Amino acid sequence: QLQLVESGGGLVQPGGSLRLSCAASRLTFNYLTIGWFRQAPGKEREGVSCISSSGGSTNLVDSVKGRFTISRDNAKNTVYLQMNSLKPEDTAVYYCAAKPFTGCDSSTDFPFWGPGTQVTVSS
């Protein structure tokens, strides 16, 4: 079974930065499309960013464009989400998810999910 584990969350002041990591347990990592999602209290889960197996990336919400960057290091079986200029409204549990065979523009659901990591932006 594919396992994903997020790390790098924590408490940061507005305007600060965090880098989240998503590590996968399988050697098939290179073939996976990886998405970052987040869920704030009282809100629905939303897609934040996505990166395909070929390295093409997409930000999924306008609110993070210019501030968040997704990247991958296949040698380390890891995908990163660099978050800069953080705002209180970025506070949420952040999840990484994986799917094989299809890319970021596909409507196919992500079948594999990590347990999430808390990001809190507050003074």
Side-chain angles (χ1 to χ4, degrees):
Q1 180 68 38
L2 175 66
Q3 292 183 318
L4 303 172
V5 179
E6 304 93 341
S7 62
L11 175 65
V12 65
Q13 296 184 23
S17 298
L18 286 173
R19 188 181 72 167
L20 304 184
S21 299
C22 174
S25 64
R26 297 293 184 98
L27 296 177
T28 55
F29 177 83
N30 292 1
Y31 305 103
L32 298 174
T33 289
I34 305 294
W36 282 101
F37 298 80
R38 67 185 181 185
Q39 187 166 23
K43 296 183 178 180
E44 294 184 350
R45 186 174 62 201
E46 65 176 352
V48 177
S49 191
C50 179
I51 189 165
S52 71
S53 60
S54 64
S57 62
T58 302
N59 287 322
L60 304 178
V61 291
D62 290 339
S63 61
V64 309
K65 292 180 179 178
R67 299 190 298 121
F68 290 12
T69 302
I70 191 170
S71 62
R72 68 190 299 155
D73 186 341
N74 289 339
K76 297 181 179 179
N77 281 12
T78 302
V79 166
Y80 304 98
L81 184 67
Q82 179 67 47
M83 306 186 296
N84 298 325
S85 302
L86 284 163
K87 305 174 181 179
E89 50 263 46
D90 295 318
T91 296
V93 176
Y94 284 72
Y95 302 89
C96 68
K99 62 179 180 179
F101 308 122
T102 57
C104 294
D105 294 332
S106 174
S107 61
T108 305
D109 290 341
F110 288 83
F112 307 106
W113 292 79
T117 185
Q118 177 71 48
V119 172
T120 302
V121 185
S122 176
S123 299

